[in-house]
Amino acid sequence: MFFRNRFGKVAGTALLTGALVFAGAAGTTMASDRSDQVSKEKAASDKAAKLRSSLEGVSADLANSVIALENAKDAQKSAQGAYDEAVRVQAGAAREQAQAQDQLEVATAQLKQVEKALAASQERESENLSNIGKVARETYTNPSLGGTFEFFISDKNSGDLSTYARNAQLAAQMQSDSLKSVQNQIVGQKNSQAEQRELTSQVRKLKEQADAALQAADGAKADKETKLEELNQTLEEKKKQEAELDAKKGEISKQLAEAEKDQQAARERIMQIDAQNRSSQAASSSSSASSGSASSGNAGSSSAGYMAGGIFQAPIKGPLHLTSPFGYRIHPVTGQRRLHMGADIAAGCGLPQYAAANGTVVSTRYEGTGGNTVTINHGMLGGSSWISVYRHMTQFATSPGAQVSKGQLIGYTGATGRVTGCHVHFELWKNGTVINPIPLP
């Protein structure tokens, strides 16, 4: 009874409850793991896109060298993290397996104690039964005890008979009570034995599961260790890549300087267009009529477009995913801080691009770092001079001097110029100064 109360109810319940909690937690963990994996993949994709964008302005071979080095670093870091996690999981599995082993040993030992106590009680039961029979026989036949048979052939009186009967009844009752006590004890011990056998069986199953988990964890750890060793062997290759990039910093800096010149030339062209817009406005007899005419490039409140609520619409249809926003960014090799004059939007090669508002196409030409570029003058809108620029196109769908409407096709997404892949590069200039085009004005 001691074991059933102390271990069978407490430890047994704890073990089974633990198994159920583990099963529930496993489902939750799997869902959490899937969510974490999705988040990690998105973070990796965003990081890669940001890296590619930061490398604009240098040739493809130099950009690919930087990307290869960063990929090698990320792979090693990921492998190290995976190995560290495998070590943690293996250590946890080893602890659980050791606990399961301890619990199985305790349960087995307790089962042996219960079975030993049951065997002792059964032996006492057999002994009591034998004693009861022995008392009955001796009471009836043994002359020294005044047995019933001897009483009838003797000259004992009725008083002696009464005393004998009481003594015989008392002796038999004592033996019977002792037998019932032992039999009740046996019933309880058999129940304890059944409970303990069931508990021991369940503990053994948990132990088998823990053994399998440990074996799997050992295998995963060994696999991650092998992969980590393989990646660590590429350290020399990584050092070689770093040395090559270090030697190419001069060339990279030179190309970035050329890209800066391209940007400056773009600024000067935009400033010229802006000056023309202001001059036209000043020469106009009515700025309101001028800003509302088609020739001025006014977007107008009734202009067609798939994005409402603003002067401009996005250059592509559908949801916008920025791979590199407008603003300053640090070059991963030189550490130079450079202004990214537009917003880079994820888009596949050949995806159509559209005019952000009504206007006049100023130029469609190759502009060095910017590749195939479309520049549209939208004239004076709301008292400000506006110009939009679309870079890296693979093909033009308009020409200089063309009057375009908001949402009209002007070209197709590409990767011309010094970029690492197809995407939309969209710029907005207000009063001769480049601004953040997202959100749209």
Side-chain angles (χ1 to χ4, degrees):
M1 297 298 289
F2 169 77
F3 173 77
R4 182 177 58 184
N5 291 335
R6 183 173 181 272
F7 186 84
K9 292 183 178 179
V10 178
T13 301
L15 285 168
L16 296 179
T17 302
L20 292 174
V21 170
F22 174 79
T28 303
T29 300
M30 289 177 65
S32 177
D33 288 345
R34 286 193 294 270
S35 177
D36 289 345
Q37 183 61 29
V38 171
S39 298
K40 289 178 180 178
E41 290 177 357
K42 183 179 184 305
S45 176
D46 292 345
K47 180 180 178 180
K50 185 176 181 180
L51 175 61
R52 287 192 296 271
S53 296
S54 69
L55 290 167
E56 288 187 3
V58 300
S59 59
D61 60 332
L62 292 177
N64 289 336
S65 295
V66 176
I67 292 172
L69 177 58
E70 290 301 316
N71 287 342
K73 290 180 179 178
D74 288 344
Q76 186 188 39
K77 182 178 179 181
S78 176
Q80 183 66 58
Y83 173 72
D84 292 342
E85 175 63 13
V87 170
R88 185 190 67 79
V89 172
Q90 190 272 346
R95 287 193 299 272
E96 292 178 0
Q97 191 271 349
Q99 292 173 358
Q101 178 65 40
D102 291 342
Q103 291 167 349
L104 179 59
E105 291 176 358
V106 170
T108 303
Q110 294 287 6
L111 177 60
K112 290 181 179 179
Q113 292 180 11
V114 169
E115 292 176 340
K116 182 178 180 180
L118 176 61
S121 296
Q122 289 173 331
E123 185 177 348
R124 288 196 298 274
E125 177 188 36
S126 177
E127 182 179 347
N128 283 344
L129 287 171
S130 176
N131 288 340
I132 289 174
K134 183 178 180 181
V135 168
R137 288 193 302 273
E138 291 185 351
T139 301
Y140 186 77
T141 62
N142 194 330
S144 63
L145 297 178
T148 303
F149 178 76
E150 292 295 330
F151 173 80
F152 282 111
I153 63 175
S154 69
D155 57 356
K156 295 182 182 291
N157 59 34
S158 61
D160 294 329
L161 176 60
S162 177
T163 299
Y164 160 75
R166 285 196 302 270
N167 291 338
Q169 183 179 13
L170 180 60
Q173 185 62 45
M174 290 176 63
Q175 290 294 331
S176 176
D177 290 345
S178 177
L179 177 61
K180 288 181 180 178
S181 176
V182 172
Q183 288 176 334
N184 289 336
Q185 187 177 30
I186 289 174
V187 171
Q189 288 173 332
K190 284 184 176 180
N191 290 336
S192 294
Q193 182 188 47
E195 292 175 3
Q196 185 58 33
R197 283 178 175 173
E198 176 63 22
L199 178 59
T200 303
S201 175
Q202 292 173 353
V203 172
R204 184 174 288 106
K205 290 179 181 178
L206 292 177
K207 167 64 167 50
E208 291 172 354
Q209 293 174 3
D211 289 343
L214 178 58
Q215 183 177 4
D218 286 339
K221 177 184 175 183
D223 179 61
K224 298 298 187 295
E225 186 174 16
T226 299
K227 291 181 179 179
L228 179 61
E229 289 175 353
E230 291 174 354
L231 282 171
N232 284 337
Q233 290 174 0
T234 65
L235 279 175
E236 292 302 320
E237 180 64 24
K238 286 171 58 180
K239 290 178 180 178
K240 181 180 177 181
Q241 291 175 340
E242 289 174 344
E244 290 176 351
L245 281 176
D246 190 62
K248 293 177 181 178
K249 279 186 178 180
E251 178 63 23
I252 291 175
S253 296
K254 180 181 177 180
Q255 292 185 8
L256 291 177
E258 293 174 0
E260 185 61 37
K261 289 181 181 180
D262 290 339
Q263 285 189 342
Q264 184 58 37
R267 291 189 186 95
E268 292 174 358
R269 287 193 296 271
I270 296 298
M271 290 177 67
Q272 291 176 1
I273 299 171
D274 180 68
Q276 292 172 2
N277 287 341
R278 294 180 184 281
S279 177
S280 297
Q281 184 184 41
S284 175
S285 59
S286 173
S287 63
S288 176
S290 175
S291 63
S293 66
S295 60
S296 69
N298 190 348
S301 60
S302 62
S303 298
Y306 52 80
M307 293 184 68
I311 300 174
F312 295 91
Q313 70 172 39
I316 59 173
K317 297 180 180 180
L320 304 182
H321 176 63
L322 293 181
T323 57
S324 183
F326 169 87
Y328 283 92
R329 57 194 185 190
I330 305 299
H331 195 277
V333 177
T334 66
Q336 294 178 8
R337 184 173 180 266
R338 300 179 64 247
L339 175 64
H340 182 225
M341 297 197 304
D344 287 348
I345 303 170
C349 296
L351 186 74
Q353 293 190 35
Y354 306 92
N358 294 352
T360 302
V361 177
V362 177
S363 63
T364 56
R365 65 182 184 180
Y366 189 87
E367 295 188 0
T369 305
N372 292 332
T373 301
V374 174
T375 301
I376 301 177
N377 179 17
H378 303 287
M380 302 298 294
L381 301 174
S384 298
S385 171
W386 292 93
I387 297 132
S388 62
V389 180
Y390 317 74
R391 301 190 185 278
H392 311 306
M393 286 189 173
T394 187
Q395 184 179 349
F396 300 125
T398 187
S399 58
Q403 300 293 318
V404 294
S405 301
K406 183 179 184 180
Q408 182 176 330
L409 177 68
I410 59 173
Y412 299 90
T413 302
T416 55
R418 288 179 181 167
V419 295
T420 57
C422 291
H423 66 277
V424 173
H425 176 98
F426 179 51
E427 297 176 16
L428 270 182
W429 295 76
K430 180 180 181 181
N431 296 327
T433 301
V434 68
I435 66 169
N436 185 3
I438 306 295
L440 296 165

